[in-house]
Amino acid sequence: MSLLSHTRRSQITKTILWVAFALFVLSLFLPAASNEQVYRLDRVCQNPQWDHGLAFLLVGPFGVLFGQFGWFANPLMLLAAITRREFGLVFATLAILATTSTTRTLTHFWRDGEPDDVVCGFGPGYYAWAACSVLVLIAVLVKPPQRTSSETAIADS
């Protein structure tokens, strides 16, 4: 028996998912990663340029060509939010792995015919996006299990 009713758990889940969605939209407009053409080995940016999350969302699928799979957290978060709880746990966990892998795989920006820009750091846009995947996992954990037709009939009577 659960401490929270089925209806209350559904309300909490929806609230958490709306907060995650708001953070996702916010992450698109916040600086996500800084970069600069750096020739030093210490990767210290003297005058970094910041790219916003929207740029990463638009070009993200092409990151596969450079071994960067973080963009795939976006559809995984969506799948986690709309599928059954059992599948949602798998998708949400994979989304968290994809978001955290970004910090290890995104080390430079390829520039056609110019030296690559080195990634200096991650900004609030990245952290808002990463928080989305954690919130989606929490929402899936709170989500009530899907009722069978007999359970629904008993609850409605």
Side-chain angles (χ1 to χ4, degrees):
M1 178 134 179
S2 175
L3 295 175
L4 296 172
S5 69
H6 188 276
T7 306
R8 185 68 181 141
R9 287 176 71 161
S10 294
Q11 291 171 342
I12 293 170
T13 300
K14 287 178 186 176
T15 302
I16 294 170
L17 289 175
W18 276 111
V19 171
F21 179 71
L23 273 176
F24 179 80
V25 171
L26 184 64
S27 76
L28 298 176
F29 301 102
L30 291 173
S34 65
N35 63 78
E36 183 180 23
Q37 288 183 0
V38 178
Y39 300 102
R40 299 181 348 203
L41 294 177
D42 59 4
R43 294 188 178 191
V44 174
C45 284
Q46 301 300 321
N47 189 18
Q49 298 173 350
W50 287 91
D51 287 325
H52 291 82
L54 185 59
F56 290 103
L57 180 66
L58 296 176
V59 299
F62 297 108
V64 173
L65 302 173
F66 303 102
Q68 300 166 4
F69 300 97
W71 180 87
F72 292 100
N74 300 320
L76 288 169
M77 285 187 277
L78 179 61
L79 287 171
I82 64 174
T83 60
R84 294 180 54 162
R85 185 174 185 211
E86 298 80 21
F87 298 117
L89 287 171
V90 172
F91 292 135
T93 303
L94 291 173
I96 289 174
L97 292 174
T99 56
T100 56
S101 74
T102 301
T103 58
R104 293 186 310 275
T105 59
L106 184 60
T107 57
H108 70 279
F109 293 103
W110 180 75
R111 304 285 187 215
D112 190 25
E114 297 178 21
D116 292 348
D117 283 355
V118 174
V119 173
C120 302
F122 294 94
Y126 167 76
Y127 294 109
W129 176 65
C132 290
S133 61
V134 174
L135 285 175
V136 169
L137 177 63
I138 292 169
V140 169
L141 289 170
V142 172
K143 183 188 254 184
Q146 193 168 9
R147 291 182 175 179
T148 63
S149 58
S150 61
E151 290 173 337
T152 305
I154 292 170
D156 289 342
S157 58

